[in-house]
Amino acid sequence: MQILDGKIVAESIKNYFEQQINNLKTKPNIAVLGIKGDDASDVYIKRIEKNCDKYGIEFNLMMAETEEQFKENFEAIKNDESITGIMFQQPLSKEISNLINEIPSNKDIEGLSNANMGKLFIGEKDAIAPCTSKAVIEVFDYYNIDLTGKKVVVVGRSNIVGKPLIPQLLQKNATVTICHSKTKNLKDETRNADVVIMAIGKAKFLKKEDIKDGAILIDVGINFENGKIVGDIDFEDVKEKASMCTPVPGGIGTITNAILIRNIIESCEKI
Ligand code: NDP
């Protein structure tokens, strides 16, 4: 089985950053808004800040104590021309999350607003796709995997992975099936698939008996098992049967981080 190495794909994206940033008229300057109190999200934010530092991107962290304060912070920056990109840090209530639709679509660096999702579905070129879904597409592009006519089964229908993959896979002429927790006979779907994309958050869920010989597997899942990070695919179990698979760690997550930086740079180019 060939390992589809996320680090190599991420490097191929990062290779352009220096030149892209040098060509910018203004320095990228992002605002990250959240509400204090979630340790996991603090770790994620620190990683983004470190990456921004590395590439000379201004990083403004605005962590509120309350929802009211979040709204005030958002009001203060949403029309600020010096801010080139805005992102919200989950967890947030539905009401607060919906404020994302007030971000100008070219500053929505995570591609999560209704406007960007709509543009993605109708195939507009300036759509910003949610980073993780785009990371999956980058794997197919980097490894020249032609999806034309292939049966691609996506397991998971979230707004950040499964749903935005639909238009992007259709764009690649795949025949797309989306599965979820209410899907009947899930294994029949995955067993008939040329490509399976797993994004459910269940450790080592997909086994060799769930796939066909030579299947191409993409693992989006991030799970913790006995202190180790594992994906939704049982990598050791499938490796004699699948033809290709992304590892966890070192797969989609690594590429996702690079895509966010690329979105930050590209949204600054559009200003
Ligand atoms: P969500 O919890 O939002 O969605 C999970 C999806 O999986 C839902 O559609 C759910 O179905 C489906 N599902 C859950 N259990 C089953 C099951 N037993 N059989 C079939 N479908 C099932 O998760 P996310 O999309 O946010 O994340 C998915 C995974 O990807 C997580 O492990 C997360 O950590 C990881 N992730 C990785 C990223 C990366 O950069 N690599 C970035 C973001 C997420 P239903 O809709 O019916 O409830």
Side-chain angles (χ1 to χ4, degrees), residues 3 16 30 56 69 76 83 109-110 115 137 149 157 165 175 182 188 195 197 199 213 218 221 233 238 246 248-249:
I3 294 175
Y16 293 96
I30 66 159
Q69 200 185 351
I83 299 288
I109 51 181
E110 290 189 294
I137 298 300
R157 57 175 163 179
L165 271 170
T175 301
K182 306 288 186 293
D188 288 347
V195 179
I197 302 170
D213 275 326
I218 307 286
I233 297 174
V238 299
T246 58
V248 178

Side-chain angles (χ1 to χ4, degrees), residues 159-217:
N159 290 342
I160 59 170
V161 192
K163 281 186 204 143
L165 271 170
I166 300 169
Q168 296 177 89
L169 293 168
L170 288 177
Q171 185 72 34
K172 294 196 160 298
N173 299 316
T175 301
V176 186
T177 304
I178 304 286
C179 300
H180 45 78
S181 69
K182 306 288 186 293
T183 298
K184 289 202 174 119
N185 306 322
L186 176 64
K187 285 170 194 270
D188 288 347
E189 296 295 339
T190 57
R191 262 187 225 123
N192 282 315
D194 302 305
V195 179
V196 181
I197 302 170
M198 289 298 297
I200 65 171
K202 298 268 182 307
K204 298 181 180 171
F205 184 91
L206 195 83
K207 309 280 183 194
K208 62 172 182 276
E209 60 269 24
D210 307 329
I211 60 169
K212 73 175 181 187
D213 275 326
I216 297 169
L217 307 178

Side-chain angles (χ1 to χ4, degrees), residues 22-271:
N22 285 341
N23 288 341
L24 290 173
K25 291 188 202 81
T26 41
K27 195 175 179 184
N29 182 12
I30 66 159
V32 179
L33 283 80
I35 296 182
K36 284 181 191 164
D38 186 82
D39 292 348
S41 101
D42 289 348
V43 174
Y44 179 64
I45 289 171
K46 287 236 160 56
R47 190 178 325 130
I48 298 171
E49 185 172 13
K50 202 170 143 207
N51 276 333
C52 286
D53 271 359
K54 186 168 168 191
Y55 297 107
I57 295 165
E58 290 286 337
F59 179 90
N60 302 281
L61 182 59
M62 303 173 92
M63 294 303 281
E65 300 282 349
T66 61
E67 292 202 342
E68 277 316 302
Q69 200 185 351
F70 182 102
K71 288 180 192 168
E72 285 164 23
N73 288 344
F74 184 53
E75 279 304 312
I77 55 104
K78 81 175 182 199
N79 295 316
D80 181 339
E81 287 185 5
S82 70
I83 299 288
T84 62
I86 301 172
M87 62 181 275
F88 287 0
Q89 186 49 42
Q90 297 294 338
L92 297 171
S93 67
K94 198 162 190 304
E95 183 202 348
I96 296 290
S97 294
N98 276 339
L99 292 174
I100 209 149
N101 295 310
E102 294 180 25
I103 300 175
S105 63
N106 60 334
K107 293 188 184 182
D108 166 29
I109 51 181
E110 290 189 294
L112 296 176
S113 63
N114 295 347
N116 271 312
M117 203 66 88
K119 285 181 182 193
L120 193 64
F121 265 82
I122 56 174
E124 287 204 10
K125 285 213 160 41
D126 68 341
I128 300 174
C131 303
T132 307
S133 71
K134 187 70 181 163
V136 172
I137 298 300
E138 292 289 338
V139 172
F140 298 127
D141 287 345
Y142 182 86
Y143 286 99
N144 287 319
I145 299 169
D146 183 5
L147 297 183
T148 305
K150 295 223 165 79
K151 179 174 167 68
V152 179
V153 168
V154 182
V155 191
R157 57 175 163 179
S158 72
N159 290 342
I160 59 170
V161 192
K163 281 186 204 143
L165 271 170
I166 300 169
Q168 296 177 89
L169 293 168
L170 288 177
Q171 185 72 34
K172 294 196 160 298
N173 299 316
T175 301
V176 186
T177 304
I178 304 286
C179 300
H180 45 78
S181 69
K182 306 288 186 293
T183 298
K184 289 202 174 119
N185 306 322
L186 176 64
K187 285 170 194 270
D188 288 347
E189 296 295 339
T190 57
R191 262 187 225 123
N192 282 315
D194 302 305
V195 179
V196 181
I197 302 170
M198 289 298 297
I200 65 171
K202 298 268 182 307
K204 298 181 180 171
F205 184 91
L206 195 83
K207 309 280 183 194
K208 62 172 182 276
E209 60 269 24
D210 307 329
I211 60 169
K212 73 175 181 187
D213 275 326
I216 297 169
L217 307 178
I218 307 286
D219 197 346
V220 178
I222 299 175
N223 311 287
F224 294 90
E225 196 184 67
N226 305 325
K228 279 173 74 181
I229 296 179
V230 297
D232 289 347
I233 297 174
D234 191 336
F235 190 86
E236 287 304 313
D237 193 56
V238 299
K239 72 180 185 193
E240 303 300 331
K241 198 171 181 189
S243 63
M244 299 176 180
C245 187
T246 58
V248 178
I252 296 300
T254 314
I255 308 168
T256 301
N257 296 333
I259 302 274
L260 178 65
I261 300 294
R262 188 174 69 187
N263 284 356
I264 293 169
I265 299 168
E266 289 181 354
S267 50
C268 193
E269 276 167 359
K270 289 177 198 146
I271 282 168

